[in-house]
Amino acid sequence: MPLRKHRCRFKTYEHCFTAAEAVDWLHELLRNSQNFGPEVTRKQTVQLLKKFLKNHVIEDIKGKWGQEDFEDNRHLYRFPPSSPLKPYPKKPLYQRDVIKFPEWNDPPPGTSQENIPVRPIVMNSEMWFKRHSIAIGEVPACRLVYRRQLTEANVEEIWKSTTLSHLQKILGLDSLEEVLNVKLVNSKFIIHNVYSVSKQGVVILDDKSKELPHWVLSAMKCLANWPNCSDWKQPMYLGFEKDVFKTIADYYGHLKEPLLTFHLFDAFVSVLGLLQKEKMAIEAFQICCLLLPPENRRKLQLLMRMMARICLNKEMPPLCDGFGTRTLMVQTFSRCILCSKDEVDLDELLAARLVTFLMDNYQEILKVPLALQTSIEERVAHLRRVQIKYPGADMDVTLSAPSFCRQISPEEFEYQRAYGSQEPLAALLEEVIADAKLSNKEKKKKLKQFQKSYPEVYQERFPTPESEALLFPEKPKPKPQLFMWALRKPFQPFQRTRSFRM
């Protein structure tokens, strides 16, 4: 942060900055950072600087910090002269000659242990390494505790949750519920798309019945490798390539569902908002394509590779008289790649933009994201790794298995939300009412506070003023006592009498 000289109230301060300058500089830094992005607001920057002030990263120009509030104004601040980090504790220096106190197992002085018979111990490599390590002080005696074995379902859940959280982070959403039904995401599809691939990166299907028909695959190879079609046995004639292309287009045009599936439509459309940030868009498309069924991903890979090769092949004859090759590819296959069940009118423009971006970056998009794969594999390996337990670290304590939440019905959830907190409050109110140790004055005070904090619970217990009055019955007023002086004549004002003086 740039520091300079400032003047405030006829006094000059060196190496300081104003609050507004700090907000300007830090806001620009956060917006250009890969970890935050341009979505950071100025208000969020002020909140971050408040935390800096509270934790003594910065301080008031007079050295105040902690309780002062940071605002976007011309107030002066500076960096503290000493680091806000606490120094690391240093080990005390021990004396080299440590006095050794005798132990109970030590032999009496003058006793030689040379002639004492010792039982021979067969030392293997593990025991030798253990004793050697303890003897030289490398590690204390320990034991290995193996973690609970991860099941296949656990690994699948890790793959699913990590992949979706990574997609949510890239899209910058608070939740994926707006663009994706998480329940429809199959974790087995993700794992298959990552590991069951050929050398060329194309998905290998276990069920061969879901493969492309042989005649469609041959037609795609013919156009993708044009004019290297020496293995094509059918006679070639004028317009032969157009008929082959029409055959491929008819097959993909009659699919029951688009290749990107209906339930992933919103997810892919949301990625279109990131096309200006090409790197982020490619990463988001990579993850979205991992969620596809393996047969859809394989068909998409083969189709995009054919489309890209046809567009780059200068020797390919024109496949249509009215359109260029690139425009023809986009218009022909956009509907079979991306399509929605409901918003039919908006599909064409969105699908054209997406297919164009896919065709230009298909090699990167349809490749397995290595960073995501590595992070998940490291997490799974960490959970499977053994744990080292040292003495005094509760070795013999058997840890209970973690508890999990029990799924409840929507009706029970609504009931708990409406009445779950009121029942304990009603019990607390009854305890206050039944407490005999409280005086009426204290009890009225507590009930008044309860009524102010929880009026609904109080109203249910005392629906009418009469029901509340029954709790504190009025005591009969004592009759006024008759005093002797009350029977006398009322006090008469002083009257002037005749003087006795003569």
Side-chain angles (χ1 to χ4, degrees), residues 29-161:
L29 180 69
L30 296 177
R31 284 172 55 87
N32 297 327
S33 174
Q34 296 181 355
N35 298 328
F36 296 94
E39 295 82 8
V40 179
T41 63
R42 190 175 182 87
K43 184 177 179 181
Q44 292 173 334
T45 308
V46 174
Q47 295 294 329
L48 181 58
L49 285 168
K50 286 184 179 181
K51 294 183 180 294
F52 287 168
L53 180 61
K54 183 178 180 181
N55 292 276
H56 205 196
V57 178
I58 60 176
E59 64 182 12
D60 182 76
I61 194 63
K62 297 182 180 179
K64 299 178 182 179
W65 59 278
Q67 301 298 330
E68 288 71 22
D69 193 14
F70 187 93
E71 296 181 359
D72 193 355
N73 52 24
R74 301 295 300 174
H75 196 75
L76 293 180
Y77 292 91
R78 69 184 182 187
F79 291 104
S82 59
S83 173
L85 294 177
K86 296 181 180 180
Y88 289 101
K90 297 182 179 180
K91 294 183 179 181
L93 298 176
Y94 295 101
Q95 298 179 358
R96 293 184 177 180
D97 300 331
V98 181
I99 301 176
K100 182 180 179 182
F101 293 92
E103 298 182 359
W104 295 106
N105 297 329
D106 291 342
T111 306
S112 176
Q113 297 184 351
E114 296 180 357
N115 299 326
I116 298 178
V118 179
R119 181 181 178 182
I121 301 176
V122 179
M123 298 286 289
N124 53 17
S125 59
E126 182 179 359
M127 186 177 297
W128 182 90
F129 179 79
K130 181 179 179 181
R131 288 195 175 188
H132 176 72
S133 302
I134 297 174
I136 64 177
E138 291 181 358
V139 293
C142 61
R143 72 167 185 174
L144 300 180
V145 179
Y146 291 89
R147 297 178 183 267
R148 187 179 61 178
Q149 185 176 3
L150 290 178
T151 62
E152 184 178 356
N154 299 140
V155 177
E156 292 177 358
E157 184 60 30
I158 293 173
W159 271 94
K160 178 179 177 179
S161 60

